[in-house]
Amino acid sequence: MKRAVLDEPGLIRWGRVIGESAAREAVFVALHGPLGAGKTCLTQAACAGVGVHETVTSPTYTLVHWYDGDRGTVAHADLYRIAHASELPALGWEELESHPGPVFVEWAERAGEELPPDRWEIRLDFAADGALRTVTAHALGDAPPIPDPGPCAAPAREASC
Ligand SMILES: Nc1ncnc2c1ncn2[C@@H]1O[C@H](COP(=O)(O)OP(=O)(O)O)[C@@H](O)[C@H]1O
Ligand SMILES: [Mg+2]
């Protein structure tokens, strides 16, 4: 289990690395954490890492967005609005699960047993300081090792979600 406390530029920096690595290895990424914790922010950074140039918006209402990037096609899903895993087939879960590229799913726990066994698990939580987030991350099954969330030696880049 990897753990770090990150400010927003730090989360964005790690997100880009996550995106590059997830694109290279076609990783399914399950994102957990309360509203406002930074799941969409992390996915936006990851999409930049996949080489997506268009604006990445929260799929809270549309459930799944697909983006073509320089390093692959990335899927971004948000299960906040599903009440039960039985709703998954209707939103194209099979396509997400079998996608030969990076997949990022917010509120992934709502998929329950339907989550693929080989995946990265990332949890974001509010830290005592409102500008910081606690990040815990680990790889499951045959998923490759997850990049370390830092602290990173590189200087923080000014960025915002
Ligand atoms: N350390 C941080 N990491 C990520 N987001 C942060 C951080 N500090 C503040 N924020 C803010 O928190 C919000 C996270 O929102 P969002 O990514 O939409 O959350 P979620 O998708 O988990 O509901 C953004 O407004 C972002 O600017
Ligand atoms: Mg979100």
Side-chain angles (χ1 to χ4, degrees), residues 6-8 11 34-41 106 130-133 161:
L6 300 176
D7 61 8
E8 191 167 335
L11 191 96
L35 271 179
K39 301 179 296 300
T40 299
C41 177
E106 300 187 34
L132 299 177
R133 301 292 187 268
C161 293

Side-chain angles (χ1 to χ4, degrees), residues 88-106:
L88 291 173
L91 66 88
W93 185 252
E94 211 179 354
E95 205 186 343
L96 281 180
E97 241 191 341
S98 59
H99 176 53
V103 178
F104 292 84
V105 179
E106 300 187 34

